[in-house]
Structure formats: C-alpha cells, structure tokens
Amino acid sequence: MSPDSTATGDSPFRSERTARDEAPQFVLPLVVRIEKAAPPARTDALETAARAVLVMLSDERSLGDGEWAQVMREWQDARIRKVVRRARGAEWRRAEGLDGITVTGKSAEVRVFPPVPLDGWPKELARLQVSGTDLDDPEAPVPADTAQPVLWLNPELDMSAGKAMAQVGHGAQLAWWELSDEERAAWREAGFPLAVRTAERGRWAELTGGGLPLVRDAGFTEIAPGSCTVVADHPALR
C-alpha cells in the first residue's frame, strides 16, 4: 500500500468511504500507563506513542514472514485505525502479559500491540477505559529541534491526550511510509528521535501547504471528519 501525503485518493485517513472500507477492519491498540500518583507529561506521552507506532512498524515480527506480519498487512490494507486506552496497577500488569512492545519515554510508558479485529479486542484490553484520557505538561515544552523530525499538531483543534496520541501515531506512520529504506534504517538506528509540538497559528497554513505528510482525521471521535490534525515534518521529506 502506498502512502498519500495529502490524504487524497485512496488514503487510509479520508472521511469518505473508499475501497479500504470493504476490507476487514483492524485496529492498532496502544495502552498508556497512567498511575494516579505519577501520570506522565502530556508531550512525553505523545512522543512515546508516536515512537511506539514506529517501533511496531519496523519490528522484525511485523515484516516478511514474521509472526505479526500478516495481521500488520491486513491492518494497513484497511483503514488505519489506532485506539489509545489507559491502564494502571494491575490493569497495566495484565496488559504487559500480552504480546506487544513497551516503549518508554522520560516519564511515559506506552505498550503497543499487534492489530486486532475491530470487534475482537482481547478481554484484558477491552475492559480498559478509552475516553477522557487527558494529561498536562508541568512545564512548557522547549522549542523543537527542527534538525530532527517534528510532528506538528493543529493549533485550532482541542484534542484529548488519547486522541492526540493516536493522531501523532498516524503522522509518524505516514512519514515512515514516505521514507526510503535507507532513511528508515537511519531513523530506526538512531532510536526514532522526534518531537511533538503544537504549531504556531501563523505557521499552520505554511505547514499544511508544503507537501509534507498530512493527517486528515476520519472523524470517528472528538473532531469533525476531514479535520487536518498533524503534519509530519521529517527533514528527509522537506
């Protein structure tokens, strides 16, 4: 499946019905650890979620004849759905017992799992809360180093942390698809450095019109269909 940086044509992020809707539908589950006494910082959680998606896409089990490869292909042939749920304590320990990968940031832990059927979630994940996941940044994030990839959020949209985590995961995935094999390998070997920042209002139009990978949400939750949510600004794609 080829990516579409502007979310036109047969894009996995169009709100209109496409051929992707005729395929069996899967979802990529992500679970963020949110302990009541020590929740992660919002920006770190978003960045960790984006890296988790990249780690899953590049894992040897997701490629070739790997054990997750078939379901990864089926997921990518349909709508690219991601759902972020939250867990703490025993819930998190049960989630860790399922096949998946835990990615750790400065304060955040996110576990990503192979795609599951839209209506076939494992019971350990199905019982986790999906709505209302919100977080704060104790301190304002420092300016992004634009020598590294930056996932820019739309300054005009108000998204919960869970919704934003899914959206930056989409943006990271679009960037990944558009890179060459050599560029992907370099990004992976560097540990997938990236930043998530909210764009300045005056720069958003420039970012969305610059030909970079752009996520337009299908509008299943929180925001209107077709809303531009994230621009994936990877140096190799400028």
Side-chain angles (χ1 to χ4, degrees):
M1 175 181 67
S2 61
D4 190 307
S5 63
T6 57
T8 58
D10 188 27
S11 165
F13 304 112
R14 284 185 65 187
S15 55
E16 299 87 352
R17 190 170 184 84
T18 73
R20 294 180 182 279
D21 293 289
E22 307 307 319
Q25 299 295 303
F26 291 82
V27 61
L28 187 79
L30 297 103
V31 174
V32 56
R33 184 178 186 180
I34 304 181
E35 299 292 345
K36 189 175 295 186
R42 179 185 174 98
T43 296
D44 187 42
L46 268 59
E47 292 172 349
T48 304
R51 281 195 296 271
V53 171
L54 294 166
V55 168
M56 174 59 75
L57 287 168
S58 62
D59 192 276
E60 62 182 13
R61 290 165 289 185
S62 298
L63 305 172
D65 295 325
E67 61 184 286
W68 300 338
Q70 181 61 38
V71 73
M72 288 290 288
R73 285 191 292 268
E74 292 174 347
W75 169 61
Q76 293 178 85
D77 283 341
R79 290 281 187 179
I80 306 302
R81 300 175 188 254
K82 300 178 182 73
V83 171
V84 178
R85 302 193 175 200
R86 63 184 187 271
R88 65 172 183 257
E91 297 171 333
W92 176 256
R93 291 190 291 274
R94 284 193 292 269
E96 284 189 305
L98 301 177
D99 276 351
I101 305 169
T102 297
V103 177
T104 303
K106 296 175 183 176
S107 61
E109 290 181 76
V110 175
R111 189 163 179 83
V112 60
F113 304 86
V116 298
L118 198 58
D119 57 355
W121 284 68
K123 64 180 185 299
E124 294 88 349
L125 303 182
R127 60 167 61 109
L128 299 178
Q129 292 293 317
V130 63
S131 62
T133 300
D134 218 342
L135 299 166
D136 296 311
D137 280 314
E139 300 177 356
V142 300
D145 177 3
T146 53
Q148 303 286 355
V150 184
L151 302 173
W152 295 105
L153 291 164
N154 186 338
E156 299 179 354
L157 294 178
D158 183 17
M159 295 184 283
S160 69
K163 178 71 172 181
M165 289 169 72
Q167 296 301 303
V168 297
H170 293 336
Q173 186 167 0
L174 283 179
W176 178 255
W177 284 341
E178 294 210 359
L179 295 173
S180 68
D181 289 343
E182 293 77 12
E183 291 161 345
R184 289 179 179 181
W187 200 9
R188 180 183 181 184
E189 288 166 10
F192 293 121
L194 58 85
V196 174
R197 296 292 186 272
T198 299
E200 295 180 359
R201 289 182 182 272
R203 188 160 179 250
W204 181 245
E206 175 189 343
L207 286 166
T208 57
L212 291 166
L214 170 64
V215 179
R216 292 184 187 271
D217 190 56
F220 294 118
T221 60
E222 292 194 26
I223 58 179
S227 298
C228 300
T229 58
V230 176
V231 172
D233 183 11
H234 192 292
L237 302 178
R238 294 171 190 157

